[in-house]
Amino acid sequence: MIETFLNPEIIAAIWPIVLAGLANTVLLSLIVVPLGLLGGLIVALLATVHHPLVRWPLMAWVDFFRAFPPLVLLVLLFAGLPFAGLELGGFACVAIAFFLNTGAYYGEILRAGIDSVPVGQIEAARSTGLNRLQAMGYIVLPQAVRNVLPDLLSNTLEVVKLTSLGSVVAVPELLFQARQAQSLTYSPTPIVLVAIVYFLILWPMVRLLSRLENRALASRR
Amino acid sequence: MARPIVEARGIHKHFGALHVLKGVDLEVAERELVFVIGPSGSGKSTLLRCLNRLEEPSSGSVVVDGIDMLDPKTDINRARQRIGMVFQSFNLYPHMTALGNVTLALRKVAGKSRVEAEALGRAALKRVGLADRAGHTPGQLSGGQQQRVAIARAIALEPRVMLFDEPTSALDPELVGSVLEVMCDLRESGMTMIVVSHEMGFARNAADRVIFMDHGLIVEQGPPVAIFENPSQERTRAFIGQIQRH
Amino acid sequence: MSTWDRFVDTFFNARVMAKYLPDILSGVVVTIELAVLIVASGLLAGLALALVRALAIRPLNWLIIFIVDLFRSLPPLVIIVLIYFGLPAAGLSPSGFVSTWIALGLVLMAFAEEIFWAGITSIPRGQWEAARSTGLGFGQTLLNVVLPQALRLTIPPLTNRTIAITKGTALGTVVAVTEILGQASSAVSNSYNPSPLMMGSAAYVVLFLPVVVAARWIETKFAWKR
């Protein structure tokens, strides 16, 4: 069994490839998480404008990306755009797709956070002369982020997992490297190994989240 | 009498179909303490919030310390620094210390350096008797202490007028005294104050003038003794009677 | 031809679309089949695990927590690939369809267990005590008193998670499942034209947008009390 699924010789041989994949997964995450957060912040700030001309298109935008599978978005950018004469490369396609897709999710979370801050906070800030933007930046957002921290973390976990979609458009991240190694070795060992790597990296985050979610629940009682 | 420091004329306020203020005139002289009473829904809080434009009056004019508050050219954020406000629910920023609460506007609106702002902030906290609580967050303070920090947050900006919107209504009875004491000190120092509250004892001792509002209008006003002992209007009499029966 | 005409001719080519419409539609059927199987088995398995966890048998609970953590940590695509390419080495050869079903079913099971469990533990102890004091047994209390309250709380997070995981059926294309994206992709490479991909995208929107809008409505209706 071990011979097949975790063959030591194969592990030794492919270890450098897997490490390179890990580096790319980390790099990809470090790019797409801030991009998604930026997109989410834009969405959430726009959502504070209650004008119907902003509100309805924004809601449609968010719902569209909640309905649209990220992989389809990615393939659309990667395989569709070249027909319009625009060849972006896998990495750029992943960045754009994530900015749009996870931006919508982060946006929903941050919007809920902003809504959870009492109006009195804004009034108190404005009564001391802070302008709208200052009140948002110094008073509302810090509290909003704290209130929805478990949700933000949970979404970040999903985003990191989603970087594995990069393998479909030839971004050499963990899963892509594993599949390359698999086709070279005709063995499931590379994929098992990469699954273990993912688990070891993300498990602490899952544990932390589980704790945070339980605490949030306890306070709701 | 010198030119009043607060001059509101013909204030109307609609919330949709609701007509909350129906043409209120209010003049307040420098160093005066005006006390506003009235049943809930009479529009007294809305009037207060129109003075610093937290509420946009539907019509009328508001001039505070010579500044036309409703003029679009007025820098409202600069103007609001001259008008301190204290809220019923304190509205302290829970993610900041007491000192952080007091110094935020000093640094971000008044443009003071951190050192300067903290010196002013500590002085303000000292005035409300909380010099030793500067590093505490609101969650670590009692209701009375929180409200005193909120007062310090307002007076640190050296306002010309202070607005109090039911400052003691959310407090346990035993904590009310400490807040009223700070308000008395503030009055002694010559601060112009407009107070919406149900603390009739405080009004008797400290107010120069009591205003009774009902259904969006000022029904009657005068010195505390006159309003409390000998109101001329039936509605005022009924309201005072109800309050005193408690 | 103007730029616009060329754009339409490329991305919304009527001839290509007509030719590949049957393929896309058969992809829609496969996507729906896959989605229904994943949702049904994932939610049921998740609920079953949460109920077992309520029995509070130590070693069993550790096992459940580990399984849940495992499938929350691994990217769904990795699980699909693992099952599809890994199991044959153990003598099992699940099809792409079955691999995707099992993988996403397990992921949904893990998330559903967490959410159901959170719902169950959020019911105050007093509810248990009141029910037990009237003579109801453990199972009766769980079924008649606790679960009905808990399920109500779990509906909004559960719908959101279910949608997110069901959208993952598109991942099946990586292991040759002939669902929408798979059909669209092969049509694009056969016709050298992106129109099938546009059709496929439209199909996803038509399938999932109503669900998302319904979820938004449910969310406001069953919102957690804050």
Side-chain angles (χ1 to χ4, degrees), chain A residues 2-31:
Chain A
I2 296 252
E3 275 304 293
T4 313
F5 288 102
L6 274 175
N7 187 307
E9 278 168 45
I10 293 181
I11 291 177
I14 62 165
W15 188 240
I17 306 182
V18 172
L19 267 189
L22 179 60
N24 277 328
T25 291
V26 171
L27 179 69
L28 200 54
S29 302
L30 287 179
I31 291 171

PDB file of all heavy atoms in Angstrom, chain A residues 2-31:
ATOM      1  N   ILE A   2       1.776   1.327   0.983  1.00  0.00           N
ATOM      2  CA  ILE A   2       2.678   2.476   1.070  1.00  0.00           C
ATOM      3  C   ILE A   2       3.504   2.583  -0.214  1.00  0.00           C
ATOM      4  O   ILE A   2       3.715   3.668  -0.745  1.00  0.00           O
ATOM      5  CB  ILE A   2       3.620   2.328   2.294  1.00  0.00           C
ATOM      6  CG1 ILE A   2       2.798   2.355   3.583  1.00  0.00           C
ATOM      7  CG2 ILE A   2       4.699   3.402   2.276  1.00  0.00           C
ATOM      8  CD1 ILE A   2       2.912   3.585   4.412  1.00  0.00           C
ATOM      9  N   GLU A   3       3.951   1.415  -0.731  1.00  0.00           N
ATOM     10  CA  GLU A   3       4.706   1.378  -1.985  1.00  0.00           C
ATOM     11  C   GLU A   3       3.986   2.147  -3.084  1.00  0.00           C
ATOM     12  O   GLU A   3       4.587   2.847  -3.880  1.00  0.00           O
ATOM     13  CB  GLU A   3       4.868  -0.097  -2.430  1.00  0.00           C
ATOM     14  CG  GLU A   3       6.044  -0.824  -1.825  1.00  0.00           C
ATOM     15  CD  GLU A   3       7.361  -0.125  -2.089  1.00  0.00           C
ATOM     16  OE1 GLU A   3       7.761  -0.078  -3.262  1.00  0.00           O
ATOM     17  OE2 GLU A   3       7.970   0.380  -1.128  1.00  0.00           O
ATOM     18  N   THR A   4       2.652   1.995  -3.100  1.00  0.00           N
ATOM     19  CA  THR A   4       1.869   2.609  -4.162  1.00  0.00           C
ATOM     20  C   THR A   4       1.586   4.087  -3.885  1.00  0.00           C
ATOM     21  O   THR A   4       1.818   4.940  -4.725  1.00  0.00           O
ATOM     22  CB  THR A   4       0.521   1.874  -4.307  1.00  0.00           C
ATOM     23  OG1 THR A   4       0.779   0.484  -4.322  1.00  0.00           O
ATOM     24  CG2 THR A   4      -0.196   2.315  -5.565  1.00  0.00           C
ATOM     25  N   PHE A   5       1.071   4.343  -2.678  1.00  0.00           N
ATOM     26  CA  PHE A   5       0.526   5.683  -2.442  1.00  0.00           C
ATOM     27  C   PHE A   5       1.536   6.669  -1.858  1.00  0.00           C
ATOM     28  O   PHE A   5       1.372   7.872  -1.993  1.00  0.00           O
ATOM     29  CB  PHE A   5      -0.713   5.595  -1.538  1.00  0.00           C
ATOM     30  CG  PHE A   5      -1.890   5.010  -2.237  1.00  0.00           C
ATOM     31  CD1 PHE A   5      -2.274   3.698  -2.028  1.00  0.00           C
ATOM     32  CD2 PHE A   5      -2.626   5.776  -3.130  1.00  0.00           C
ATOM     33  CE1 PHE A   5      -3.369   3.154  -2.686  1.00  0.00           C
ATOM     34  CE2 PHE A   5      -3.716   5.250  -3.796  1.00  0.00           C
ATOM     35  CZ  PHE A   5      -4.089   3.931  -3.585  1.00  0.00           C
ATOM     36  N   LEU A   6       2.528   6.167  -1.154  1.00  0.00           N
ATOM     37  CA  LEU A   6       3.548   7.078  -0.625  1.00  0.00           C
ATOM     38  C   LEU A   6       4.926   6.455  -0.809  1.00  0.00           C
ATOM     39  O   LEU A   6       5.646   6.193   0.142  1.00  0.00           O
ATOM     40  CB  LEU A   6       3.285   7.369   0.856  1.00  0.00           C
ATOM     41  CG  LEU A   6       2.324   8.514   1.173  1.00  0.00           C
ATOM     42  CD1 LEU A   6       2.068   8.594   2.659  1.00  0.00           C
ATOM     43  CD2 LEU A   6       2.824   9.841   0.645  1.00  0.00           C
ATOM     44  N   ASN A   7       5.277   6.219  -2.050  1.00  0.00           N
ATOM     45  CA  ASN A   7       6.534   5.567  -2.383  1.00  0.00           C
ATOM     46  C   ASN A   7       7.721   6.477  -2.056  1.00  0.00           C
ATOM     47  O   ASN A   7       7.852   7.551  -2.633  1.00  0.00           O
ATOM     48  CB  ASN A   7       6.531   5.223  -3.872  1.00  0.00           C
ATOM     49  CG  ASN A   7       7.730   4.384  -4.243  1.00  0.00           C
ATOM     50  OD1 ASN A   7       8.855   4.759  -3.959  1.00  0.00           O
ATOM     51  ND2 ASN A   7       7.468   3.249  -4.870  1.00  0.00           N
ATOM     52  N   PRO A   8       8.590   6.028  -1.111  1.00  0.00           N
ATOM     53  CA  PRO A   8       9.679   6.912  -0.652  1.00  0.00           C
ATOM     54  C   PRO A   8      10.606   7.340  -1.785  1.00  0.00           C
ATOM     55  O   PRO A   8      11.040   8.493  -1.824  1.00  0.00           O
ATOM     56  CB  PRO A   8      10.436   6.044   0.362  1.00  0.00           C
ATOM     57  CG  PRO A   8       9.532   4.918   0.696  1.00  0.00           C
ATOM     58  CD  PRO A   8       8.614   4.726  -0.455  1.00  0.00           C
ATOM     59  N   GLU A   9      10.908   6.426  -2.696  1.00  0.00           N
ATOM     60  CA  GLU A   9      11.815   6.787  -3.797  1.00  0.00           C
ATOM     61  C   GLU A   9      11.213   7.884  -4.650  1.00  0.00           C
ATOM     62  O   GLU A   9      11.877   8.857  -5.018  1.00  0.00           O
ATOM     63  CB  GLU A   9      12.088   5.557  -4.672  1.00  0.00           C
ATOM     64  CG  GLU A   9      13.168   4.644  -4.125  1.00  0.00           C
ATOM     65  CD  GLU A   9      13.190   3.327  -4.871  1.00  0.00           C
ATOM     66  OE1 GLU A   9      13.117   3.362  -6.120  1.00  0.00           O
ATOM     67  OE2 GLU A   9      13.237   2.277  -4.196  1.00  0.00           O
ATOM     68  N   ILE A  10       9.931   7.724  -4.960  1.00  0.00           N
ATOM     69  CA  ILE A  10       9.265   8.733  -5.796  1.00  0.00           C
ATOM     70  C   ILE A  10       9.224  10.066  -5.053  1.00  0.00           C
ATOM     71  O   ILE A  10       9.492  11.122  -5.621  1.00  0.00           O
ATOM     72  CB  ILE A  10       7.845   8.264  -6.177  1.00  0.00           C
ATOM     73  CG1 ILE A  10       7.953   7.045  -7.094  1.00  0.00           C
ATOM     74  CG2 ILE A  10       7.080   9.380  -6.857  1.00  0.00           C
ATOM     75  CD1 ILE A  10       6.631   6.491  -7.567  1.00  0.00           C
ATOM     76  N   ILE A  11       8.900   9.992  -3.752  1.00  0.00           N
ATOM     77  CA  ILE A  11       8.854  11.237  -2.977  1.00  0.00           C
ATOM     78  C   ILE A  11      10.193  11.956  -3.053  1.00  0.00           C
ATOM     79  O   ILE A  11      10.260  13.163  -3.309  1.00  0.00           O
ATOM     80  CB  ILE A  11       8.489  10.944  -1.502  1.00  0.00           C
ATOM     81  CG1 ILE A  11       7.034  10.476  -1.420  1.00  0.00           C
ATOM     82  CG2 ILE A  11       8.674  12.200  -0.650  1.00  0.00           C
ATOM     83  CD1 ILE A  11       6.592  10.094  -0.035  1.00  0.00           C
ATOM     84  N   ALA A  12      11.268  11.199  -2.864  1.00  0.00           N
ATOM     85  CA  ALA A  12      12.596  11.811  -2.905  1.00  0.00           C
ATOM     86  C   ALA A  12      12.845  12.451  -4.267  1.00  0.00           C
ATOM     87  O   ALA A  12      13.405  13.546  -4.368  1.00  0.00           O
ATOM     88  CB  ALA A  12      13.659  10.756  -2.605  1.00  0.00           C
ATOM     89  N   ALA A  13      12.383  11.770  -5.324  1.00  0.00           N
ATOM     90  CA  ALA A  13      12.639  12.273  -6.671  1.00  0.00           C
ATOM     91  C   ALA A  13      11.837  13.526  -6.995  1.00  0.00           C
ATOM     92  O   ALA A  13      12.329  14.448  -7.646  1.00  0.00           O
ATOM     93  CB  ALA A  13      12.334  11.165  -7.689  1.00  0.00           C
ATOM     94  N   ILE A  14      10.592  13.564  -6.545  1.00  0.00           N
ATOM     95  CA  ILE A  14       9.732  14.683  -6.966  1.00  0.00           C
ATOM     96  C   ILE A  14       9.699  15.819  -5.956  1.00  0.00           C
ATOM     97  O   ILE A  14       9.085  16.854  -6.202  1.00  0.00           O
ATOM     98  CB  ILE A  14       8.283  14.203  -7.219  1.00  0.00           C
ATOM     99  CG1 ILE A  14       7.693  13.653  -5.921  1.00  0.00           C
ATOM    100  CG2 ILE A  14       8.233  13.194  -8.342  1.00  0.00           C
ATOM    101  CD1 ILE A  14       6.200  13.500  -5.975  1.00  0.00           C
ATOM    102  N   TRP A  15      10.353  15.630  -4.816  1.00  0.00           N
ATOM    103  CA  TRP A  15      10.280  16.642  -3.760  1.00  0.00           C
ATOM    104  C   TRP A  15      10.585  18.064  -4.254  1.00  0.00           C
ATOM    105  O   TRP A  15       9.853  19.008  -3.937  1.00  0.00           O
ATOM    106  CB  TRP A  15      11.195  16.235  -2.600  1.00  0.00           C
ATOM    107  CG  TRP A  15      11.051  17.098  -1.391  1.00  0.00           C
ATOM    108  CD1 TRP A  15      12.009  17.840  -0.790  1.00  0.00           C
ATOM    109  CD2 TRP A  15       9.838  17.342  -0.654  1.00  0.00           C
ATOM    110  NE1 TRP A  15      11.491  18.515   0.280  1.00  0.00           N
ATOM    111  CE2 TRP A  15      10.163  18.227   0.387  1.00  0.00           C
ATOM    112  CE3 TRP A  15       8.512  16.891  -0.784  1.00  0.00           C
ATOM    113  CZ2 TRP A  15       9.218  18.697   1.310  1.00  0.00           C
ATOM    114  CZ3 TRP A  15       7.571  17.355   0.140  1.00  0.00           C
ATOM    115  CH2 TRP A  15       7.931  18.231   1.161  1.00  0.00           C
ATOM    116  N   PRO A  16      11.658  18.237  -5.059  1.00  0.00           N
ATOM    117  CA  PRO A  16      11.954  19.598  -5.537  1.00  0.00           C
ATOM    118  C   PRO A  16      10.814  20.200  -6.365  1.00  0.00           C
ATOM    119  O   PRO A  16      10.509  21.392  -6.236  1.00  0.00           O
ATOM    120  CB  PRO A  16      13.199  19.400  -6.411  1.00  0.00           C
ATOM    121  CG  PRO A  16      13.773  18.100  -6.005  1.00  0.00           C
ATOM    122  CD  PRO A  16      12.647  17.259  -5.524  1.00  0.00           C
ATOM    123  N   ILE A  17      10.162  19.348  -7.184  1.00  0.00           N
ATOM    124  CA  ILE A  17       9.049  19.850  -8.007  1.00  0.00           C
ATOM    125  C   ILE A  17       7.908  20.313  -7.118  1.00  0.00           C
ATOM    126  O   ILE A  17       7.304  21.362  -7.331  1.00  0.00           O
ATOM    127  CB  ILE A  17       8.531  18.732  -8.945  1.00  0.00           C
ATOM    128  CG1 ILE A  17       9.692  18.156  -9.760  1.00  0.00           C
ATOM    129  CG2 ILE A  17       7.436  19.255  -9.845  1.00  0.00           C
ATOM    130  CD1 ILE A  17       9.245  17.095 -10.743  1.00  0.00           C
ATOM    131  N   VAL A  18       7.629  19.502  -6.090  1.00  0.00           N
ATOM    132  CA  VAL A  18       6.538  19.847  -5.169  1.00  0.00           C
ATOM    133  C   VAL A  18       6.853  21.143  -4.425  1.00  0.00           C
ATOM    134  O   VAL A  18       5.990  22.013  -4.261  1.00  0.00           O
ATOM    135  CB  VAL A  18       6.285  18.691  -4.177  1.00  0.00           C
ATOM    136  CG1 VAL A  18       5.303  19.111  -3.104  1.00  0.00           C
ATOM    137  CG2 VAL A  18       5.766  17.469  -4.918  1.00  0.00           C
ATOM    138  N   LEU A  19       8.102  21.280  -3.999  1.00  0.00           N
ATOM    139  CA  LEU A  19       8.490  22.504  -3.282  1.00  0.00           C
ATOM    140  C   LEU A  19       8.297  23.736  -4.160  1.00  0.00           C
ATOM    141  O   LEU A  19       7.788  24.769  -3.706  1.00  0.00           O
ATOM    142  CB  LEU A  19       9.952  22.417  -2.837  1.00  0.00           C
ATOM    143  CG  LEU A  19      10.197  21.875  -1.434  1.00  0.00           C
ATOM    144  CD1 LEU A  19      11.662  22.050  -1.054  1.00  0.00           C
ATOM    145  CD2 LEU A  19       9.302  22.582  -0.413  1.00  0.00           C
ATOM    146  N   ALA A  20       8.683  23.616  -5.424  1.00  0.00           N
ATOM    147  CA  ALA A  20       8.491  24.736  -6.349  1.00  0.00           C
ATOM    148  C   ALA A  20       7.007  25.054  -6.464  1.00  0.00           C
ATOM    149  O   ALA A  20       6.602  26.224  -6.487  1.00  0.00           O
ATOM    150  CB  ALA A  20       9.070  24.386  -7.713  1.00  0.00           C
ATOM    151  N   GLY A  21       6.179  23.989  -6.514  1.00  0.00           N
ATOM    152  CA  GLY A  21       4.740  24.188  -6.574  1.00  0.00           C
ATOM    153  C   GLY A  21       4.222  24.889  -5.334  1.00  0.00           C
ATOM    154  O   GLY A  21       3.396  25.806  -5.413  1.00  0.00           O
ATOM    155  N   LEU A  22       4.756  24.483  -4.186  1.00  0.00           N
ATOM    156  CA  LEU A  22       4.338  25.104  -2.933  1.00  0.00           C
ATOM    157  C   LEU A  22       4.664  26.593  -2.940  1.00  0.00           C
ATOM    158  O   LEU A  22       3.827  27.434  -2.566  1.00  0.00           O
ATOM    159  CB  LEU A  22       5.033  24.410  -1.757  1.00  0.00           C
ATOM    160  CG  LEU A  22       4.730  24.966  -0.369  1.00  0.00           C
ATOM    161  CD1 LEU A  22       3.244  24.873  -0.072  1.00  0.00           C
ATOM    162  CD2 LEU A  22       5.527  24.217   0.698  1.00  0.00           C
ATOM    163  N   ALA A  23       5.877  26.918  -3.419  1.00  0.00           N
ATOM    164  CA  ALA A  23       6.263  28.330  -3.482  1.00  0.00           C
ATOM    165  C   ALA A  23       5.285  29.111  -4.349  1.00  0.00           C
ATOM    166  O   ALA A  23       4.862  30.218  -3.994  1.00  0.00           O
ATOM    167  CB  ALA A  23       7.679  28.458  -4.031  1.00  0.00           C
ATOM    168  N   ASN A  24       4.892  28.502  -5.474  1.00  0.00           N
ATOM    169  CA  ASN A  24       3.959  29.204  -6.363  1.00  0.00           C
ATOM    170  C   ASN A  24       2.572  29.340  -5.756  1.00  0.00           C
ATOM    171  O   ASN A  24       1.891  30.342  -5.957  1.00  0.00           O
ATOM    172  CB  ASN A  24       3.873  28.478  -7.704  1.00  0.00           C
ATOM    173  CG  ASN A  24       5.003  28.887  -8.617  1.00  0.00           C
ATOM    174  OD1 ASN A  24       5.467  30.022  -8.559  1.00  0.00           O
ATOM    175  ND2 ASN A  24       5.478  27.956  -9.428  1.00  0.00           N
ATOM    176  N   THR A  25       2.137  28.304  -5.019  1.00  0.00           N
ATOM    177  CA  THR A  25       0.833  28.391  -4.361  1.00  0.00           C
ATOM    178  C   THR A  25       0.835  29.533  -3.335  1.00  0.00           C
ATOM    179  O   THR A  25      -0.109  30.319  -3.257  1.00  0.00           O
ATOM    180  CB  THR A  25       0.486  27.058  -3.665  1.00  0.00           C
ATOM    181  OG1 THR A  25       0.252  26.075  -4.670  1.00  0.00           O
ATOM    182  CG2 THR A  25      -0.751  27.192  -2.813  1.00  0.00           C
ATOM    183  N   VAL A  26       1.939  29.618  -2.565  1.00  0.00           N
ATOM    184  CA  VAL A  26       2.032  30.695  -1.575  1.00  0.00           C
ATOM    185  C   VAL A  26       2.042  32.052  -2.276  1.00  0.00           C
ATOM    186  O   VAL A  26       1.313  32.976  -1.895  1.00  0.00           O
ATOM    187  CB  VAL A  26       3.299  30.518  -0.706  1.00  0.00           C
ATOM    188  CG1 VAL A  26       3.523  31.746   0.164  1.00  0.00           C
ATOM    189  CG2 VAL A  26       3.182  29.267   0.148  1.00  0.00           C
ATOM    190  N   LEU A  27       2.851  32.160  -3.322  1.00  0.00           N
ATOM    191  CA  LEU A  27       2.937  33.417  -4.061  1.00  0.00           C
ATOM    192  C   LEU A  27       1.569  33.814  -4.626  1.00  0.00           C
ATOM    193  O   LEU A  27       1.116  34.956  -4.481  1.00  0.00           O
ATOM    194  CB  LEU A  27       3.952  33.264  -5.202  1.00  0.00           C
ATOM    195  CG  LEU A  27       4.130  34.494  -6.091  1.00  0.00           C
ATOM    196  CD1 LEU A  27       4.811  35.605  -5.312  1.00  0.00           C
ATOM    197  CD2 LEU A  27       4.940  34.149  -7.338  1.00  0.00           C
ATOM    198  N   LEU A  28       0.892  32.820  -5.236  1.00  0.00           N
ATOM    199  CA  LEU A  28      -0.420  33.062  -5.828  1.00  0.00           C
ATOM    200  C   LEU A  28      -1.397  33.549  -4.753  1.00  0.00           C
ATOM    201  O   LEU A  28      -2.141  34.515  -4.951  1.00  0.00           O
ATOM    202  CB  LEU A  28      -0.915  31.751  -6.460  1.00  0.00           C
ATOM    203  CG  LEU A  28      -2.000  31.836  -7.521  1.00  0.00           C
ATOM    204  CD1 LEU A  28      -1.581  32.776  -8.628  1.00  0.00           C
ATOM    205  CD2 LEU A  28      -2.259  30.446  -8.110  1.00  0.00           C
ATOM    206  N   SER A  29      -1.368  32.902  -3.581  1.00  0.00           N
ATOM    207  CA  SER A  29      -2.256  33.302  -2.489  1.00  0.00           C
ATOM    208  C   SER A  29      -1.943  34.718  -2.040  1.00  0.00           C
ATOM    209  O   SER A  29      -2.851  35.514  -1.774  1.00  0.00           O
ATOM    210  CB  SER A  29      -2.099  32.352  -1.301  1.00  0.00           C
ATOM    211  OG  SER A  29      -2.386  31.033  -1.688  1.00  0.00           O
ATOM    212  N   LEU A  30      -0.650  35.035  -1.959  1.00  0.00           N
ATOM    213  CA  LEU A  30      -0.261  36.372  -1.497  1.00  0.00           C
ATOM    214  C   LEU A  30      -0.702  37.446  -2.486  1.00  0.00           C
ATOM    215  O   LEU A  30      -0.813  38.617  -2.134  1.00  0.00           O
ATOM    216  CB  LEU A  30       1.255  36.450  -1.294  1.00  0.00           C
ATOM    217  CG  LEU A  30       1.773  35.707  -0.065  1.00  0.00           C
ATOM    218  CD1 LEU A  30       3.288  35.818   0.044  1.00  0.00           C
ATOM    219  CD2 LEU A  30       1.109  36.248   1.197  1.00  0.00           C
ATOM    220  N   ILE A  31      -0.949  37.047  -3.722  1.00  0.00           N
ATOM    221  CA  ILE A  31      -1.423  38.018  -4.713  1.00  0.00           C
ATOM    222  C   ILE A  31      -2.952  38.077  -4.718  1.00  0.00           C
ATOM    223  O   ILE A  31      -3.543  39.147  -4.681  1.00  0.00           O
ATOM    224  CB  ILE A  31      -0.904  37.665  -6.116  1.00  0.00           C
ATOM    225  CG1 ILE A  31       0.602  37.888  -6.162  1.00  0.00           C
ATOM    226  CG2 ILE A  31      -1.591  38.519  -7.179  1.00  0.00           C
ATOM    227  CD1 ILE A  31       1.264  37.369  -7.413  1.00  0.00           C
TER     228      ILE A  31
END
